[in-house]
Amino acid sequence: MLEDKDLLSIQEVRTKVEKAFAAWQKYRTYSQEQVDAIVERMAAAARANAKRLADMAVEETGYGNAKDKYIKNLLNCDWLPRRMRGIKTVGILRELPEERIVEIGVSLGVVAAILPTTNPTSTAMSKTLVSLKAGNAIVISPHPRAFKCTCATAAILYQAALEAGAPEDIIQCVDRATMEGISALMHHERVSVILATGGHAMVKAAYSSGKPAFGVGPGNVPVLVDTSADLEDAIAKIVTGKSFDYGTVCSSEQALVAEYSLRDRILALLKQHKAYLCNDQQSDALGKLLITPSWTVNPNCVGQAPTKIARMAGFEVPADTSILCCEIAGVGKKFPLSAEKLSPVLSLLFVADYATALDTCFGLLKFGGAGHTAAIYAKNDTRIREYGMRMPAMRVLVNTPAPQGSTGITTNVFPSMTLGCGAMAGNSTSDNVGPLHLINIKRLAYTVRTPEEAFEMPLDYDKAQDGPAPATPGGGAIDRTAVISAVERYLASRGIAVSPPAAPSSPATQPAAHACGCSTPAPPQPAVRQSVVAGVAADVVDRFLARRGAAPAGSPGAPQKSGGYS
């Protein structure tokens, strides 16, 4: 019997989204304690299967290596749930008595999770745990080349969730994922938000769906090795990062940038760490192999061992080679290896000075990784901060392997497999996406002031200033009488009686006398000056009364006359 794979995928998506939506209607009533218990049980089940799932991912996709995929799994089933402990996501999140605000977490609904082939099991763990932590249901759409290991991960998490009391159907995984099915998932009326990890076209489709979406852009991570760096530490860590899971992480190092004065020492240290230094002919062959004529990454090379990639390019390297290194002369389309490669191939750019190094790193990010990640090795904190300010990257990592630093293993950024790249990359966030991105926050806001108290300008339209205020004579000196009057009015508005002063006006405020014996009245204070005086007077009085232990009535620390909460 003939089967239309797209129609079957679309029908499956529709059915599973409806099931997830019905489950969410029950799950949205769960307390924080119930939600947290479910998340903990899922994480424990994932930890027990982390090694097996890593093996399955490599066997099915052919990308990366099992030992590093195991570490990526642990990131999301060990470190991530520990970081989420104590984070409030449902019910009352916090109360701000001074501001008279109460914040309430509101789950979004059904999360559509689009998964990649490079990190299938770890991303399934990450997206599922943060979605359920936020009180949502999830429908997972695996990459067609990774659906077995992805759905196996989802099944383990689902069974654990049920055992902890989650409603049936809270986690769904699409078995027949096609592009048409993915499109139907992203556009389904029951889907509230999209978490998309994949190629540029997939992320663009997510943002074009009309739904709120969190996607990530491509990474083309530059690594600046400064003259102040500990070179032995830097090169060891760069090789560790570049070789991690054979370069499948989008925040993996792509190009090392350093001054010429460091070249010989860097090359020697790279050799010491089993890096293979390619000659010009080998580098040219790698450029033609890794980057297609349409400037996409050759999928046959993604996440492959350096020995295999070298063989595909027509040359052999030692069996224990960690990464392949290629010196290139610039950035842009004349230099294919200046692009993202998603493999254990590291470009090397040696430049004249620090300023040129900054320009080169900036150029690498603009060429193909704007908003994603940059790294620097240095001891000079002034340069570290200058680099961080200059680079168009939302994660700037210091003295750490880039994949481990960007995902929160070796730094305190939030543990995540979804690394936002900000507006410059067309992303809705620059954060590492976590559970707080998957809730809305409702606010109870109690009255604390009248409209008249909120503004310094008069609210009466007829009394509003029309055009710039005239310059105040005498260099803008404030009339002492005006200050006294403003203080008295403010105290009176707070219910504090004030006796009128008996002292005569100061000479500075007396009418100006003339030889003829007549006098000229002092010019009136402009409306803006009067409002500023009133504001300053109110602040001064409040501070004075606070020091005296008598907060004025109506202020945040004073008893309220009626209504509200305490």
Side-chain angles (χ1 to χ4, degrees):
M1 182 178 70
L2 293 176
E3 292 184 344
D4 188 313
K5 293 182 178 179
D6 287 334
L7 289 179
L8 290 173
S9 180
I10 292 171
Q11 185 56 54
E12 182 187 7
V13 162
R14 290 172 177 170
T15 300
K16 290 189 171 179
V17 170
E18 290 293 344
K19 287 183 175 181
F21 183 79
W24 171 68
Q25 296 289 351
K26 301 174 183 177
Y27 192 52
R28 67 192 298 188
T29 67
Y30 280 33
S31 68
Q32 186 72 69
E33 291 74 19
Q34 290 174 301
V35 166
D36 290 347
I38 290 167
V39 170
E40 291 290 346
R41 182 71 68 88
M42 289 194 298
R47 288 193 295 273
N49 290 275
K51 184 176 184 294
R52 181 172 70 87
L53 292 171
D55 292 336
M56 287 181 64
V58 174
E59 180 180 354
E60 183 178 5
T61 68
Y63 288 169
N65 61 77
K67 68 179 181 65
D68 289 336
K69 288 202 183 302
Y70 171 68
I71 293 174
K72 288 195 283 190
N73 285 346
L74 289 184
L75 164 68
N76 294 287
C77 64
D78 184 350
W79 183 222
L80 170 62
R82 286 194 285 126
R83 278 292 300 271
M84 291 196 297
R85 287 173 188 164
I87 295 178
K88 294 183 179 181
T89 54
V90 298
I92 293 178
L93 306 182
R94 61 175 183 164
E95 300 190 35
L96 306 172
E98 298 82 4
E99 299 181 28
R100 308 210 71 209
I101 295 287
V102 180
E103 294 181 344
I104 301 170
V106 181
S107 59
L108 302 183
V110 177
V111 177
I114 316 301
L115 269 60
T117 185
T118 48
N119 311 299
T121 57
S122 55
T123 307
M125 293 177 190
S126 175
K127 293 185 189 300
T128 303
L129 288 172
V130 299
S131 294
L132 268 69
K133 171 69 176 180
N136 302 303
I138 186 170
V139 178
I140 298 170
S141 180
H143 192 282
R145 289 180 56 179
F147 83 93
K148 290 181 181 178
C149 62
T150 301
C151 288
T153 305
I156 291 168
L157 296 171
Y158 178 52
Q159 183 59 39
L162 291 180
E163 292 171 359
E168 291 187 6
D169 301 322
I170 194 69
I171 299 170
Q172 299 289 316
C173 189
V174 178
D175 296 314
R176 302 181 182 90
T178 68
M179 292 303 296
E180 290 297 324
I182 292 171
S183 178
L185 175 60
M186 291 192 293
H187 289 87
H188 198 289
E189 63 179 355
R190 298 290 199 193
V191 167
S192 296
V193 65
I194 300 168
L195 289 180
T197 304
H200 175 73
M202 183 62 66
V203 172
K204 184 177 180 181
Y207 280 116
S208 302
S209 67
K211 304 279 187 181
F214 294 97
V216 301
N220 193 30
V221 179
V223 184
L224 174 59
V225 179
D226 185 53
T227 52
S228 68
D230 179 337
L231 288 187
E232 292 188 3
D233 177 71
I235 301 307
K237 288 178 177 177
I238 289 170
V239 173
T240 295
K242 179 75 264 190
S243 62
F244 185 72
D245 204 29
Y246 294 154
T248 56
V249 182
C250 56
S251 57
S252 174
E253 296 86 346
Q254 298 297 326
L256 183 159
V257 180
E259 295 181 35
Y260 280 120
S261 62
L262 301 179
R263 180 179 180 275
D264 290 345
R265 293 176 61 198
I266 287 176
L267 295 181
L269 287 167
L270 284 168
K271 289 181 180 179
Q272 183 178 317
H273 289 281
K274 306 297 183 180
Y276 182 85
L277 305 182
C278 300
N279 60 34
D280 291 344
Q281 183 178 359
Q282 293 166 339
S283 296
D284 184 61
L286 284 171
K288 293 176 180 177
L289 171 69
L290 296 172
I291 307 299
T292 69
S294 59
W295 283 92
T296 59
V297 178
N298 182 347
N300 296 321
C301 300
V302 172
Q304 301 304 305
T307 50
K308 181 177 179 179
I309 290 177
R311 195 173 302 116
M312 293 171 70
F315 61 97
E316 296 289 332
V317 298
D320 61 351
T321 297
S322 58
I323 62 173
L324 305 175
C325 294
C326 305
E327 282 196 62
I328 60 176
V331 178
K333 290 194 172 183
K334 292 182 179 179
F335 310 97
L337 292 178
S338 65
E340 181 183 38
K341 297 167 279 294
L342 293 178
S343 60
V345 179
L346 180 68
S347 300
L348 309 175
L349 290 102
F350 295 104
V351 297
D353 51 36
Y354 173 69
T356 307
L358 284 180
D359 292 341
T360 302
C361 292
F362 183 92
L364 285 161
L365 285 163
K366 297 296 286 186
F367 182 53
H372 206 293
T373 302
I376 181 173
Y377 287 86
K379 294 181 180 178
N380 184 330
D381 201 55
T382 299
R383 286 192 168 184
I384 289 172
R385 289 171 183 265
E386 182 179 359
Y387 183 77
M389 294 292 290
R390 174 82 187 280
M391 291 304 107
M394 297 299 111
R395 280 154 296 278
V396 180
L397 310 170
V398 182
N399 299 328
T400 179
Q404 292 86 336
S406 61
T407 56
I409 296 176
T410 61
T411 69
N412 277 331
V413 298
F414 193 81
S416 182
M417 298 298 291
T418 305
L419 311 182
C421 298
M424 67 178 70
N427 295 178
S428 61
T429 184
S430 60
D431 296 338
N432 285 17
V433 175
L436 295 181
H437 294 90
L438 300 179
I439 66 171
N440 285 326
I441 298 178
K442 178 191 300 185
R443 290 175 175 84
L444 295 177
Y446 293 83
T447 184
V448 296
R449 68 183 68 86
T450 65
E452 290 76 13
E453 293 169 333
F455 303 100
E456 291 185 345
M457 294 293 291
L459 297 187
D460 189 332
Y461 178 81
D462 293 329
K463 297 179 181 178
Q465 179 180 326
D466 188 10
T472 302
I478 295 177
D479 190 338
R480 182 173 181 274
T481 303
V483 174
I484 294 172
S485 176
V487 170
E488 291 176 345
R489 287 197 304 273
Y490 182 71
L491 290 173
S493 73
R494 295 295 180 261
I496 301 174
V498 180
S499 300
S505 300
S506 68
T509 60
Q510 295 290 344
H514 292 269
C516 63
C518 60
S519 64
T520 302
Q525 296 292 325
V528 173
R529 176 58 54 82
Q530 292 176 4
S531 65
V532 170
V533 168
V536 171
D539 288 343
V540 170
V541 171
D542 279 345
R543 288 198 297 269
F544 173 76
L545 292 175
R547 286 197 298 269
R548 293 284 299 273
S555 66
Q560 299 299 318
K561 295 181 180 179
S562 63
Y565 72 99
S566 59

